[in-house]
PDB file of all heavy atoms in Angstrom:
ATOM      1  N   MET A 117      55.993   5.535  53.867  1.00  0.00           N
ATOM      2  CA  MET A 117      54.527   5.506  53.832  1.00  0.00           C
ATOM      3  C   MET A 117      53.955   5.451  55.247  1.00  0.00           C
ATOM      4  O   MET A 117      52.949   6.110  55.553  1.00  0.00           O
ATOM      5  CB  MET A 117      54.037   4.297  53.040  1.00  0.00           C
ATOM      6  CG  MET A 117      54.091   4.445  51.538  1.00  0.00           C
ATOM      7  SD  MET A 117      53.335   2.984  50.768  1.00  0.00           S
ATOM      8  CE  MET A 117      53.488   3.419  49.034  1.00  0.00           C
ATOM      9  N   LEU A 118      54.574   4.642  56.103  1.00  0.00           N
ATOM     10  CA  LEU A 118      54.090   4.505  57.474  1.00  0.00           C
ATOM     11  C   LEU A 118      54.130   5.850  58.188  1.00  0.00           C
ATOM     12  O   LEU A 118      53.160   6.253  58.839  1.00  0.00           O
ATOM     13  CB  LEU A 118      54.930   3.472  58.221  1.00  0.00           C
ATOM     14  CG  LEU A 118      54.533   3.196  59.675  1.00  0.00           C
ATOM     15  CD1 LEU A 118      53.105   2.678  59.747  1.00  0.00           C
ATOM     16  CD2 LEU A 118      55.510   2.208  60.316  1.00  0.00           C
ATOM     17  N   TRP A 119      55.244   6.548  58.041  1.00  0.00           N
ATOM     18  CA  TRP A 119      55.364   7.868  58.673  1.00  0.00           C
ATOM     19  C   TRP A 119      54.353   8.843  58.069  1.00  0.00           C
ATOM     20  O   TRP A 119      53.720   9.630  58.774  1.00  0.00           O
ATOM     21  CB  TRP A 119      56.781   8.401  58.517  1.00  0.00           C
ATOM     22  CG  TRP A 119      56.944   9.809  59.058  1.00  0.00           C
ATOM     23  CD1 TRP A 119      57.128  10.956  58.357  1.00  0.00           C
ATOM     24  CD2 TRP A 119      56.909  10.186  60.433  1.00  0.00           C
ATOM     25  NE1 TRP A 119      57.205  12.035  59.192  1.00  0.00           N
ATOM     26  CE2 TRP A 119      57.077  11.589  60.487  1.00  0.00           C
ATOM     27  CE3 TRP A 119      56.748   9.484  61.629  1.00  0.00           C
ATOM     28  CZ2 TRP A 119      57.096  12.298  61.684  1.00  0.00           C
ATOM     29  CZ3 TRP A 119      56.763  10.194  62.833  1.00  0.00           C
ATOM     30  CH2 TRP A 119      56.938  11.577  62.841  1.00  0.00           C
ATOM     31  N   ASP A 120      54.192   8.770  56.766  1.00  0.00           N
ATOM     32  CA  ASP A 120      53.227   9.624  56.071  1.00  0.00           C
ATOM     33  C   ASP A 120      51.825   9.404  56.626  1.00  0.00           C
ATOM     34  O   ASP A 120      51.074  10.359  56.884  1.00  0.00           O
ATOM     35  CB  ASP A 120      53.255   9.288  54.570  1.00  0.00           C
ATOM     36  CG  ASP A 120      52.815  10.444  53.692  1.00  0.00           C
ATOM     37  OD1 ASP A 120      52.415  11.490  54.225  1.00  0.00           O
ATOM     38  OD2 ASP A 120      52.875  10.296  52.455  1.00  0.00           O
ATOM     39  N   GLY A 121      51.463   8.143  56.856  1.00  0.00           N
ATOM     40  CA  GLY A 121      50.147   7.845  57.400  1.00  0.00           C
ATOM     41  C   GLY A 121      49.993   8.302  58.837  1.00  0.00           C
ATOM     42  O   GLY A 121      48.949   8.839  59.221  1.00  0.00           O
ATOM     43  N   LEU A 122      51.045   8.100  59.642  1.00  0.00           N
ATOM     44  CA  LEU A 122      50.987   8.493  61.052  1.00  0.00           C
ATOM     45  C   LEU A 122      50.848   9.994  61.215  1.00  0.00           C
ATOM     46  O   LEU A 122      50.251  10.474  62.191  1.00  0.00           O
ATOM     47  CB  LEU A 122      52.239   8.003  61.780  1.00  0.00           C
ATOM     48  CG  LEU A 122      52.355   6.490  61.986  1.00  0.00           C
ATOM     49  CD1 LEU A 122      53.722   6.129  62.543  1.00  0.00           C
ATOM     50  CD2 LEU A 122      51.243   5.986  62.902  1.00  0.00           C
ATOM     51  N   THR A 123      51.396  10.755  60.288  1.00  0.00           N
ATOM     52  CA  THR A 123      51.313  12.215  60.370  1.00  0.00           C
ATOM     53  C   THR A 123      50.019  12.761  59.761  1.00  0.00           C
ATOM     54  O   THR A 123      49.840  13.980  59.680  1.00  0.00           O
ATOM     55  CB  THR A 123      52.526  12.868  59.678  1.00  0.00           C
ATOM     56  OG1 THR A 123      52.648  12.359  58.341  1.00  0.00           O
ATOM     57  CG2 THR A 123      53.805  12.560  60.444  1.00  0.00           C
ATOM     58  N   HIS A 124      49.139  11.870  59.321  1.00  0.00           N
ATOM     59  CA  HIS A 124      47.797  12.240  58.853  1.00  0.00           C
ATOM     60  C   HIS A 124      46.799  11.370  59.614  1.00  0.00           C
ATOM     61  O   HIS A 124      46.224  10.435  59.062  1.00  0.00           O
ATOM     62  CB  HIS A 124      47.675  12.046  57.337  1.00  0.00           C
ATOM     63  CG  HIS A 124      48.540  12.972  56.546  1.00  0.00           C
ATOM     64  ND1 HIS A 124      49.880  12.727  56.318  1.00  0.00           N
ATOM     65  CD2 HIS A 124      48.258  14.168  55.948  1.00  0.00           C
ATOM     66  CE1 HIS A 124      50.388  13.723  55.602  1.00  0.00           C
ATOM     67  NE2 HIS A 124      49.434  14.595  55.367  1.00  0.00           N
ATOM     68  N   PRO A 125      46.600  11.675  60.901  1.00  0.00           N
ATOM     69  CA  PRO A 125      45.872  10.756  61.785  1.00  0.00           C
ATOM     70  C   PRO A 125      44.421  10.521  61.390  1.00  0.00           C
ATOM     71  O   PRO A 125      43.900   9.424  61.596  1.00  0.00           O
ATOM     72  CB  PRO A 125      45.980  11.423  63.159  1.00  0.00           C
ATOM     73  CG  PRO A 125      46.313  12.860  62.866  1.00  0.00           C
ATOM     74  CD  PRO A 125      47.116  12.850  61.621  1.00  0.00           C
ATOM     75  N   ARG A 126      43.728  11.519  60.850  1.00  0.00           N
ATOM     76  CA  ARG A 126      42.318  11.290  60.467  1.00  0.00           C
ATOM     77  C   ARG A 126      42.235  10.245  59.360  1.00  0.00           C
ATOM     78  O   ARG A 126      41.387   9.344  59.393  1.00  0.00           O
ATOM     79  CB  ARG A 126      41.668  12.599  60.011  1.00  0.00           C
ATOM     80  CG  ARG A 126      41.391  13.589  61.134  1.00  0.00           C
ATOM     81  CD  ARG A 126      40.622  14.788  60.587  1.00  0.00           C
ATOM     82  NE  ARG A 126      41.396  15.506  59.587  1.00  0.00           N
ATOM     83  CZ  ARG A 126      40.881  16.377  58.715  1.00  0.00           C
ATOM     84  NH1 ARG A 126      39.581  16.601  58.693  1.00  0.00           N
ATOM     85  NH2 ARG A 126      41.654  17.009  57.847  1.00  0.00           N
ATOM     86  N   TRP A 127      43.120  10.352  58.390  1.00  0.00           N
ATOM     87  CA  TRP A 127      43.140   9.373  57.304  1.00  0.00           C
ATOM     88  C   TRP A 127      43.565   8.006  57.832  1.00  0.00           C
ATOM     89  O   TRP A 127      42.952   6.984  57.507  1.00  0.00           O
ATOM     90  CB  TRP A 127      44.100   9.837  56.206  1.00  0.00           C
ATOM     91  CG  TRP A 127      44.235   8.866  55.081  1.00  0.00           C
ATOM     92  CD1 TRP A 127      43.461   8.778  53.967  1.00  0.00           C
ATOM     93  CD2 TRP A 127      45.207   7.814  54.971  1.00  0.00           C
ATOM     94  NE1 TRP A 127      43.882   7.747  53.157  1.00  0.00           N
ATOM     95  CE2 TRP A 127      44.952   7.136  53.751  1.00  0.00           C
ATOM     96  CE3 TRP A 127      46.264   7.391  55.764  1.00  0.00           C
ATOM     97  CZ2 TRP A 127      45.722   6.052  53.325  1.00  0.00           C
ATOM     98  CZ3 TRP A 127      47.024   6.305  55.352  1.00  0.00           C
ATOM     99  CH2 TRP A 127      46.750   5.649  54.137  1.00  0.00           C
ATOM    100  N   GLY A 128      44.633   7.989  58.663  1.00  0.00           N
ATOM    101  CA  GLY A 128      45.148   6.726  59.169  1.00  0.00           C
ATOM    102  C   GLY A 128      44.146   5.985  60.031  1.00  0.00           C
ATOM    103  O   GLY A 128      44.015   4.753  59.945  1.00  0.00           O
ATOM    104  N   THR A 129      43.427   6.712  60.861  1.00  0.00           N
ATOM    105  CA  THR A 129      42.413   6.088  61.721  1.00  0.00           C
ATOM    106  C   THR A 129      41.319   5.455  60.876  1.00  0.00           C
ATOM    107  O   THR A 129      40.857   4.333  61.153  1.00  0.00           O
ATOM    108  CB  THR A 129      41.812   7.137  62.669  1.00  0.00           C
ATOM    109  OG1 THR A 129      42.848   7.683  63.489  1.00  0.00           O
ATOM    110  CG2 THR A 129      40.737   6.505  63.547  1.00  0.00           C
ATOM    111  N   ALA A 130      40.881   6.161  59.819  1.00  0.00           N
ATOM    112  CA  ALA A 130      39.840   5.631  58.932  1.00  0.00           C
ATOM    113  C   ALA A 130      40.328   4.373  58.218  1.00  0.00           C
ATOM    114  O   ALA A 130      39.576   3.403  58.052  1.00  0.00           O
ATOM    115  CB  ALA A 130      39.413   6.687  57.925  1.00  0.00           C
ATOM    116  N   LEU A 131      41.601   4.363  57.805  1.00  0.00           N
ATOM    117  CA  LEU A 131      42.143   3.201  57.109  1.00  0.00           C
ATOM    118  C   LEU A 131      42.205   1.996  58.046  1.00  0.00           C
ATOM    119  O   LEU A 131      41.870   0.869  57.649  1.00  0.00           O
ATOM    120  CB  LEU A 131      43.529   3.521  56.559  1.00  0.00           C
ATOM    121  CG  LEU A 131      44.141   2.435  55.664  1.00  0.00           C
ATOM    122  CD1 LEU A 131      43.417   2.391  54.321  1.00  0.00           C
ATOM    123  CD2 LEU A 131      45.636   2.692  55.432  1.00  0.00           C
ATOM    124  N   LEU A 132      42.629   2.217  59.283  1.00  0.00           N
ATOM    125  CA  LEU A 132      42.693   1.118  60.243  1.00  0.00           C
ATOM    126  C   LEU A 132      41.303   0.564  60.528  1.00  0.00           C
ATOM    127  O   LEU A 132      41.116  -0.656  60.686  1.00  0.00           O
ATOM    128  CB  LEU A 132      43.347   1.605  61.533  1.00  0.00           C
ATOM    129  CG  LEU A 132      44.857   1.857  61.475  1.00  0.00           C
ATOM    130  CD1 LEU A 132      45.337   2.483  62.772  1.00  0.00           C
ATOM    131  CD2 LEU A 132      45.612   0.559  61.198  1.00  0.00           C
ATOM    132  N   ARG A 133      40.315   1.445  60.588  1.00  0.00           N
ATOM    133  CA  ARG A 133      38.952   1.009  60.905  1.00  0.00           C
ATOM    134  C   ARG A 133      38.329   0.225  59.763  1.00  0.00           C
ATOM    135  O   ARG A 133      37.644  -0.771  59.988  1.00  0.00           O
ATOM    136  CB  ARG A 133      38.090   2.223  61.248  1.00  0.00           C
ATOM    137  CG  ARG A 133      36.663   1.853  61.679  1.00  0.00           C
ATOM    138  CD  ARG A 133      35.835   3.092  62.005  1.00  0.00           C
ATOM    139  NE  ARG A 133      36.444   3.854  63.081  1.00  0.00           N
ATOM    140  CZ  ARG A 133      36.784   5.143  62.983  1.00  0.00           C
ATOM    141  NH1 ARG A 133      36.582   5.796  61.856  1.00  0.00           N
ATOM    142  NH2 ARG A 133      37.319   5.756  64.003  1.00  0.00           N
ATOM    143  N   HIS A 134      38.571   0.659  58.529  1.00  0.00           N
ATOM    144  CA  HIS A 134      37.889   0.063  57.381  1.00  0.00           C
ATOM    145  C   HIS A 134      38.785  -0.857  56.554  1.00  0.00           C
ATOM    146  O   HIS A 134      38.289  -1.575  55.684  1.00  0.00           O
ATOM    147  CB  HIS A 134      37.322   1.168  56.482  1.00  0.00           C
ATOM    148  CG  HIS A 134      36.262   1.984  57.144  1.00  0.00           C
ATOM    149  ND1 HIS A 134      34.947   1.603  57.189  1.00  0.00           N
ATOM    150  CD2 HIS A 134      36.341   3.176  57.800  1.00  0.00           C
ATOM    151  CE1 HIS A 134      34.244   2.522  57.830  1.00  0.00           C
ATOM    152  NE2 HIS A 134      35.056   3.483  58.222  1.00  0.00           N
ATOM    153  N   GLY A 135      40.091  -0.813  56.782  1.00  0.00           N
ATOM    154  CA  GLY A 135      41.003  -1.663  56.037  1.00  0.00           C
ATOM    155  C   GLY A 135      41.461  -1.036  54.733  1.00  0.00           C
ATOM    156  O   GLY A 135      40.831  -0.115  54.203  1.00  0.00           O
ATOM    157  N   ALA A 136      42.571  -1.554  54.219  1.00  0.00           N
ATOM    158  CA  ALA A 136      43.105  -1.040  52.952  1.00  0.00           C
ATOM    159  C   ALA A 136      42.171  -1.407  51.805  1.00  0.00           C
ATOM    160  O   ALA A 136      41.597  -2.503  51.781  1.00  0.00           O
ATOM    161  CB  ALA A 136      44.497  -1.610  52.698  1.00  0.00           C
ATOM    162  N   PRO A 137      41.998  -0.504  50.840  1.00  0.00           N
ATOM    163  CA  PRO A 137      41.099  -0.805  49.720  1.00  0.00           C
ATOM    164  C   PRO A 137      41.644  -1.911  48.835  1.00  0.00           C
ATOM    165  O   PRO A 137      42.854  -2.085  48.695  1.00  0.00           O
ATOM    166  CB  PRO A 137      41.037   0.531  48.964  1.00  0.00           C
ATOM    167  CG  PRO A 137      42.317   1.215  49.303  1.00  0.00           C
ATOM    168  CD  PRO A 137      42.628   0.819  50.717  1.00  0.00           C
ATOM    169  N   LYS A 138      40.725  -2.649  48.249  1.00  0.00           N
ATOM    170  CA  LYS A 138      41.076  -3.723  47.320  1.00  0.00           C
ATOM    171  C   LYS A 138      40.259  -3.542  46.041  1.00  0.00           C
ATOM    172  O   LYS A 138      39.294  -2.783  46.004  1.00  0.00           O
ATOM    173  CB  LYS A 138      40.786  -5.084  47.951  1.00  0.00           C
ATOM    174  CG  LYS A 138      41.585  -5.358  49.210  1.00  0.00           C
ATOM    175  CD  LYS A 138      41.197  -6.700  49.840  1.00  0.00           C
ATOM    176  CE  LYS A 138      41.985  -6.952  51.111  1.00  0.00           C
ATOM    177  NZ  LYS A 138      41.599  -8.234  51.767  1.00  0.00           N
ATOM    178  N   LEU A 139      40.663  -4.245  45.002  1.00  0.00           N
ATOM    179  CA  LEU A 139      39.914  -4.217  43.747  1.00  0.00           C
ATOM    180  C   LEU A 139      38.709  -5.135  43.902  1.00  0.00           C
ATOM    181  O   LEU A 139      38.759  -6.320  43.589  1.00  0.00           O
ATOM    182  CB  LEU A 139      40.808  -4.639  42.586  1.00  0.00           C
ATOM    183  CG  LEU A 139      41.991  -3.699  42.297  1.00  0.00           C
ATOM    184  CD1 LEU A 139      42.863  -4.259  41.187  1.00  0.00           C
ATOM    185  CD2 LEU A 139      41.499  -2.302  41.913  1.00  0.00           C
ATOM    186  N   ALA A 140      37.613  -4.549  44.369  1.00  0.00           N
ATOM    187  CA  ALA A 140      36.477  -5.343  44.832  1.00  0.00           C
ATOM    188  C   ALA A 140      35.837  -6.171  43.729  1.00  0.00           C
ATOM    189  O   ALA A 140      35.281  -7.244  44.003  1.00  0.00           O
ATOM    190  CB  ALA A 140      35.433  -4.419  45.463  1.00  0.00           C
ATOM    191  N   ASN A 141      35.895  -5.705  42.490  1.00  0.00           N
ATOM    192  CA  ASN A 141      35.222  -6.440  41.412  1.00  0.00           C
ATOM    193  C   ASN A 141      35.913  -7.746  41.055  1.00  0.00           C
ATOM    194  O   ASN A 141      35.333  -8.579  40.346  1.00  0.00           O
ATOM    195  CB  ASN A 141      35.116  -5.556  40.164  1.00  0.00           C
ATOM    196  CG  ASN A 141      34.064  -4.490  40.328  1.00  0.00           C
ATOM    197  OD1 ASN A 141      32.983  -4.735  40.848  1.00  0.00           O
ATOM    198  ND2 ASN A 141      34.390  -3.268  39.906  1.00  0.00           N
ATOM    199  N   PHE A 142      37.135  -7.940  41.549  1.00  0.00           N
ATOM    200  CA  PHE A 142      37.879  -9.156  41.220  1.00  0.00           C
ATOM    201  C   PHE A 142      37.992 -10.124  42.398  1.00  0.00           C
ATOM    202  O   PHE A 142      38.603 -11.184  42.261  1.00  0.00           O
ATOM    203  CB  PHE A 142      39.286  -8.795  40.736  1.00  0.00           C
ATOM    204  CG  PHE A 142      39.288  -7.969  39.486  1.00  0.00           C
ATOM    205  CD1 PHE A 142      39.859  -6.700  39.483  1.00  0.00           C
ATOM    206  CD2 PHE A 142      38.720  -8.440  38.316  1.00  0.00           C
ATOM    207  CE1 PHE A 142      39.855  -5.933  38.329  1.00  0.00           C
ATOM    208  CE2 PHE A 142      38.713  -7.678  37.171  1.00  0.00           C
ATOM    209  CZ  PHE A 142      39.282  -6.421  37.167  1.00  0.00           C
ATOM    210  N   LEU A 143      37.420  -9.776  43.544  1.00  0.00           N
ATOM    211  CA  LEU A 143      37.638 -10.587  44.738  1.00  0.00           C
ATOM    212  C   LEU A 143      37.020 -11.976  44.617  1.00  0.00           C
ATOM    213  O   LEU A 143      37.546 -12.941  45.160  1.00  0.00           O
ATOM    214  CB  LEU A 143      37.061  -9.875  45.964  1.00  0.00           C
ATOM    215  CG  LEU A 143      37.803  -8.607  46.406  1.00  0.00           C
ATOM    216  CD1 LEU A 143      37.135  -8.022  47.644  1.00  0.00           C
ATOM    217  CD2 LEU A 143      39.279  -8.910  46.693  1.00  0.00           C
ATOM    218  N   HIS A 144      35.905 -12.106  43.918  1.00  0.00           N
ATOM    219  CA  HIS A 144      35.198 -13.383  43.876  1.00  0.00           C
ATOM    220  C   HIS A 144      35.161 -13.990  42.484  1.00  0.00           C
ATOM    221  O   HIS A 144      34.359 -14.885  42.221  1.00  0.00           O
ATOM    222  CB  HIS A 144      33.771 -13.183  44.407  1.00  0.00           C
ATOM    223  CG  HIS A 144      33.727 -12.593  45.781  1.00  0.00           C
ATOM    224  ND1 HIS A 144      34.244 -13.239  46.878  1.00  0.00           N
ATOM    225  CD2 HIS A 144      33.253 -11.403  46.223  1.00  0.00           C
ATOM    226  CE1 HIS A 144      34.077 -12.477  47.955  1.00  0.00           C
ATOM    227  NE2 HIS A 144      33.486 -11.364  47.583  1.00  0.00           N
ATOM    228  N   ILE A 145      36.030 -13.510  41.609  1.00  0.00           N
ATOM    229  CA  ILE A 145      36.111 -14.103  40.273  1.00  0.00           C
ATOM    230  C   ILE A 145      36.984 -15.350  40.340  1.00  0.00           C
ATOM    231  O   ILE A 145      38.057 -15.345  40.951  1.00  0.00           O
ATOM    232  CB  ILE A 145      36.685 -13.093  39.252  1.00  0.00           C
ATOM    233  CG1 ILE A 145      35.598 -12.075  38.882  1.00  0.00           C
ATOM    234  CG2 ILE A 145      37.204 -13.791  38.002  1.00  0.00           C
ATOM    235  CD1 ILE A 145      36.025 -11.067  37.844  1.00  0.00           C
ATOM    236  N   GLU A 146      36.544 -16.404  39.720  1.00  0.00           N
ATOM    237  CA  GLU A 146      37.297 -17.657  39.677  1.00  0.00           C
ATOM    238  C   GLU A 146      37.939 -17.812  38.302  1.00  0.00           C
ATOM    239  O   GLU A 146      37.263 -18.139  37.329  1.00  0.00           O
ATOM    240  CB  GLU A 146      36.371 -18.850  39.949  1.00  0.00           C
ATOM    241  CG  GLU A 146      35.785 -18.867  41.357  1.00  0.00           C
ATOM    242  CD  GLU A 146      36.844 -19.103  42.416  1.00  0.00           C
ATOM    243  OE1 GLU A 146      37.900 -19.682  42.070  1.00  0.00           O
ATOM    244  OE2 GLU A 146      36.625 -18.708  43.567  1.00  0.00           O
ATOM    245  N   PRO A 147      39.270 -17.555  38.190  1.00  0.00           N
ATOM    246  CA  PRO A 147      39.922 -17.749  36.892  1.00  0.00           C
ATOM    247  C   PRO A 147      39.819 -19.198  36.436  1.00  0.00           C
ATOM    248  O   PRO A 147      40.032 -20.116  37.212  1.00  0.00           O
ATOM    249  CB  PRO A 147      41.375 -17.357  37.180  1.00  0.00           C
ATOM    250  CG  PRO A 147      41.341 -16.546  38.439  1.00  0.00           C
ATOM    251  CD  PRO A 147      40.207 -17.099  39.228  1.00  0.00           C
ATOM    252  N   GLU A 148      39.476 -19.401  35.163  1.00  0.00           N
ATOM    253  CA  GLU A 148      39.254 -20.753  34.661  1.00  0.00           C
ATOM    254  C   GLU A 148      40.498 -21.392  34.077  1.00  0.00           C
ATOM    255  O   GLU A 148      40.516 -22.582  33.829  1.00  0.00           O
ATOM    256  CB  GLU A 148      38.130 -20.725  33.613  1.00  0.00           C
ATOM    257  CG  GLU A 148      36.784 -20.339  34.206  1.00  0.00           C
ATOM    258  CD  GLU A 148      35.674 -20.434  33.184  1.00  0.00           C
ATOM    259  OE1 GLU A 148      35.981 -20.706  31.998  1.00  0.00           O
ATOM    260  OE2 GLU A 148      34.507 -20.227  33.545  1.00  0.00           O
ATOM    261  N   ASN A 149      41.544 -20.593  33.814  1.00  0.00           N
ATOM    262  CA  ASN A 149      42.771 -21.182  33.287  1.00  0.00           C
ATOM    263  C   ASN A 149      43.954 -20.303  33.677  1.00  0.00           C
ATOM    264  O   ASN A 149      43.792 -19.203  34.220  1.00  0.00           O
ATOM    265  CB  ASN A 149      42.686 -21.349  31.761  1.00  0.00           C
ATOM    266  CG  ASN A 149      42.376 -20.042  31.057  1.00  0.00           C
ATOM    267  OD1 ASN A 149      43.068 -19.054  31.252  1.00  0.00           O
ATOM    268  ND2 ASN A 149      41.342 -20.039  30.221  1.00  0.00           N
ATOM    269  N   ALA A 150      45.152 -20.785  33.408  1.00  0.00           N
ATOM    270  CA  ALA A 150      46.363 -20.088  33.819  1.00  0.00           C
ATOM    271  C   ALA A 150      46.500 -18.728  33.131  1.00  0.00           C
ATOM    272  O   ALA A 150      46.991 -17.766  33.729  1.00  0.00           O
ATOM    273  CB  ALA A 150      47.580 -20.962  33.511  1.00  0.00           C
ATOM    274  N   GLU A 151      46.059 -18.644  31.893  1.00  0.00           N
ATOM    275  CA  GLU A 151      46.160 -17.381  31.158  1.00  0.00           C
ATOM    276  C   GLU A 151      45.313 -16.289  31.805  1.00  0.00           C
ATOM    277  O   GLU A 151      45.764 -15.158  31.989  1.00  0.00           O
ATOM    278  CB  GLU A 151      45.716 -17.597  29.709  1.00  0.00           C
ATOM    279  CG  GLU A 151      45.769 -16.337  28.852  1.00  0.00           C
ATOM    280  CD  GLU A 151      45.204 -16.581  27.465  1.00  0.00           C
ATOM    281  OE1 GLU A 151      45.153 -17.742  27.027  1.00  0.00           O
ATOM    282  OE2 GLU A 151      44.805 -15.585  26.829  1.00  0.00           O
ATOM    283  N   VAL A 152      44.092 -16.639  32.170  1.00  0.00           N
ATOM    284  CA  VAL A 152      43.209 -15.674  32.828  1.00  0.00           C
ATOM    285  C   VAL A 152      43.758 -15.303  34.195  1.00  0.00           C
ATOM    286  O   VAL A 152      43.762 -14.129  34.597  1.00  0.00           O
ATOM    287  CB  VAL A 152      41.788 -16.251  32.952  1.00  0.00           C
ATOM    288  CG1 VAL A 152      40.884 -15.302  33.738  1.00  0.00           C
ATOM    289  CG2 VAL A 152      41.207 -16.513  31.576  1.00  0.00           C
ATOM    290  N   GLN A 153      44.265 -16.287  34.930  1.00  0.00           N
ATOM    291  CA  GLN A 153      44.824 -16.026  36.246  1.00  0.00           C
ATOM    292  C   GLN A 153      46.018 -15.093  36.161  1.00  0.00           C
ATOM    293  O   GLN A 153      46.155 -14.159  36.962  1.00  0.00           O
ATOM    294  CB  GLN A 153      45.232 -17.340  36.913  1.00  0.00           C
ATOM    295  CG  GLN A 153      45.653 -17.172  38.365  1.00  0.00           C
ATOM    296  CD  GLN A 153      45.870 -18.512  39.047  1.00  0.00           C
ATOM    297  OE1 GLN A 153      46.120 -19.511  38.387  1.00  0.00           O
ATOM    298  NE2 GLN A 153      45.763 -18.531  40.360  1.00  0.00           N
ATOM    299  N   ALA A 154      46.878 -15.288  35.169  1.00  0.00           N
ATOM    300  CA  ALA A 154      48.045 -14.424  35.004  1.00  0.00           C
ATOM    301  C   ALA A 154      47.623 -12.997  34.664  1.00  0.00           C
ATOM    302  O   ALA A 154      48.185 -12.024  35.193  1.00  0.00           O
ATOM    303  CB  ALA A 154      48.956 -14.979  33.906  1.00  0.00           C
TER     304      ALA A 154
END
């Protein structure tokens, strides 16, 4: 993957600048029990 990214510099530069994507809708959810957390 690292080599793949390095050989696509426009994409790699954008990723370094903005960071890897995350599942944004779950970042601030507080699971109330172990079942929900799992």
Side-chain angles (χ1 to χ4, degrees):
M117 281 185 179
L118 181 60
W119 176 251
D120 206 356
L122 290 172
T123 53
H124 294 82
R126 288 186 298 163
W127 177 87
T129 300
L131 187 72
L132 287 174
R133 184 180 300 124
H134 296 276
K138 298 177 181 178
L139 296 176
N141 286 318
F142 298 120
L143 291 181
H144 304 297
I145 284 182
E146 295 293 337
E148 295 185 355
N149 56 54
E151 179 185 339
V152 175
Q153 188 172 23

